[in-house]
Amino acid sequence: MRYPKDLKKGDTIGFLAPSFGCNTEPYRSAFDHALDRWQEMGYRTVLGPNCYVGEGIGISNTPEKCGAEVMQMFCGQESDVLISCGGGELMCEILEHVDFGQLAQAPAKWFMGYSDNTNLVYPLVTLCDTAAIYGPCAASFGMEPWHASIRDAYELLTGAKRVVESYPMWERESLRDEENPLQPYHVTEPLAIKAYAGGKMIMNPGEEKAELCVTGRLLGGCMDCLVNLLGTKYDGTAAFCEKYREDGILWMLEACDLNVMGIRRAMWQMEQAGWFKHVKGFLFGRALNSEPMMDLDAYQAVLAVAAKYNVPVIMDLDIGHLSPMMPLVVGSVATVTLRGNHVRVEMEYR
């Protein structure tokens, strides 16, 4: 596994838009403020050609131009780390215009993004053996003040930390809008982590003295994107899991548009494809669309498959679309410790 160099003062942060760009509010103002903030902190910034563009369908520009931007930013020498402008809908369409063989040979750079950016984070790890960060996109760094999770993402990029921990509250409804583009997370809901094994709950938020620990190589992202990649030439999962079978795989998963039935279908599909062959545990973020359907809730949507492996399944974590999110280095070997209602993720770069 290749781990990129840490971001240092005076280095250049590159921004690119392989999914949506920052061409509309509140994202444009937040992105502009983020650029100012980075520069005030002692870093240089460089923008890819699509950062302020909104000419594509589901992404910033045409798939060809977005793919060209990815190759330019990864293979050029103008930037030291890369942060995606945002998520979107059809980033998968740029993949045929990205040469992952060339990216695997180019000097490794940190790439950070989430949601639709799974389409780049996941192949970087599985096809290029290059670690990437599943974390906040560019505009989030424009909030005032920074939430602890944004600080954590910054410190991962700089190498100041390799440990992240859960946050006590999360945001159900954002207050950020066109009039308030720099609004921080509106955290109103208490964290409530649950853990299962073999389909049975083994820990809930009330068990403050209980402890659970699991270690494995982090792999995953947004399930909506993962099942879309499954079975394509961009699916390097089987070979990756076999290569790192001694570590075992710690799957980190979250869902955006998928409802509970969609999550259950996605779990079935990944299982049937053999993705869970060497699983050590599952980490699930809060599902964005978690309303029960036909007596199926978000927990059973996952456990119908995950319970078969009799490994820890930790749910309602700070991963994904319901902010804040713990930034996680996909490809690293993580030791996840759950004590009561608090989780700690220690990431080892090997």
Side-chain angles (χ1 to χ4, degrees), residues 103-233:
L103 295 189
Q105 298 300 315
K109 296 180 183 181
W110 282 121
F111 173 77
M112 182 162 63
Y114 82 108
S115 189
D116 204 25
N117 292 283
T118 298
N119 287 290
L120 193 48
V121 170
Y122 195 79
L124 281 171
V125 174
T126 55
L127 299 182
C128 305
D129 229 22
T130 303
I133 301 174
Y134 197 73
C137 295
S140 294
F141 290 89
M143 72 172 63
E144 288 291 353
W146 275 6
H147 184 271
S149 61
I150 305 301
R151 175 67 57 178
D152 285 345
Y154 165 65
E155 292 185 348
L156 271 186
L157 286 173
T158 62
K161 65 164 43 179
R162 294 185 182 179
V163 176
V164 294
E165 301 183 53
S166 55
Y167 313 104
M169 306 285 287
W170 58 277
E171 175 185 76
R172 185 178 295 278
E173 294 185 11
S174 174
L175 297 182
R176 185 172 64 166
D177 56 24
E178 294 181 8
E179 287 72 36
N180 302 282
L182 310 185
Q183 189 74 22
Y185 294 139
H186 179 226
V187 291
T188 59
E189 310 299 313
L191 183 69
I193 300 172
K194 297 179 177 65
Y196 300 82
K200 297 181 180 180
M201 182 179 288
I202 56 176
M203 288 179 66
N204 62 51
E207 297 178 281
E208 293 299 329
K209 294 183 179 180
E211 180 173 320
L212 171 66
C213 188
V214 60
T215 298
R217 195 167 289 270
L218 281 176
L219 187 63
C222 181
M223 298 174 76
D224 309 49
C225 302
L226 292 174
V227 294
N228 199 48
L229 294 175
L230 194 155
T232 70
K233 62 183 177 180

Side-chain angles (χ1 to χ4, degrees), residues 236-310:
T237 309
F240 181 89
C241 292
E242 202 60 37
K243 178 176 182 178
Y244 294 107
R245 62 184 300 169
E246 296 303 318
D247 299 320
I249 304 301
L250 192 53
W251 281 96
M252 44 145 294
L253 300 167
E254 57 103 6
C256 178
D257 293 333
L258 297 181
N259 59 27
V260 293
M261 291 294 179
I263 292 171
R264 182 154 173 167
R265 286 191 292 266
M267 290 292 293
W268 178 88
Q269 188 176 358
M270 289 188 282
E271 179 189 38
Q272 294 301 311
W275 281 22
F276 301 150
K277 185 177 179 181
H278 300 300
V279 63
K280 295 288 289 293
F282 294 93
L283 310 176
F284 280 90
R286 295 176 288 268
L288 188 59
N289 291 301
S290 60
E291 288 299 313
M293 297 177 66
M294 302 179 190
D295 297 323
L296 180 70
D297 63 19
Y299 303 101
Q300 289 305 315
V302 167
L303 293 171
V305 170
K308 301 176 185 179
Y309 297 91
N310 201 32

Side-chain angles (χ1 to χ4, degrees), residues 78-121:
E78 296 84 3
S79 57
D80 299 292
V81 304
L82 299 171
I83 302 176
S84 177
C85 279
E89 299 293 343
L90 292 174
M91 187 175 163
C92 57
E93 294 185 356
I94 81 167
L95 297 180
E96 62 189 289
H97 306 289
V98 176
D99 186 338
F100 286 101
Q102 187 176 345
L103 295 189
Q105 298 300 315
K109 296 180 183 181
W110 282 121
F111 173 77
M112 182 162 63
Y114 82 108
S115 189
D116 204 25
N117 292 283
T118 298
N119 287 290
L120 193 48
V121 170

